[in-house]
Amino acid sequence: QATLAKLKVTYPSLAEDGGKALLSLQGKVRAYPTTLVLDKEHRIAARVSGEVTEATLKGLVDDVLKSA
């Protein structure tokens, strides 16, 4: 939580539910870096292996929000 505050992160974090969502993702990442976009149920809605641009990430998040 201290790191999130220091970095001024304004979006929800997997740490906020006591780590339950984070534990459910174990084994889902096989390459680093990997970006996962989760839906409201903490299911993987999008996955990018490798570097991701801000524009790509925004597009993926927007798509997930539209389908919610």
Side-chain angles (χ1 to χ4, degrees):
Q1 294 298 337
T3 300
L4 296 175
K6 180 180 176 182
L7 297 174
K8 299 179 182 176
V9 173
T10 60
Y11 48 84
S13 166
L14 291 175
E16 291 178 7
D17 67 353
K20 292 177 192 171
L22 187 57
L23 285 174
S24 72
L25 296 173
Q26 285 186 330
K28 304 293 185 191
V29 175
R30 293 186 169 81
Y32 296 94
T34 294
T35 299
L36 301 175
V37 178
L38 307 179
D39 65 13
K40 290 182 180 183
E41 306 297 320
H42 296 155
R43 298 175 298 202
I44 298 171
R47 176 189 328 240
V48 178
S49 294
E51 190 173 336
V52 64
T53 65
E54 181 179 347
T56 297
L57 182 57
K58 184 178 180 331
L60 292 171
V61 170
D62 287 346
D63 288 347
V64 171
L65 292 173
K66 285 178 191 172
S67 66

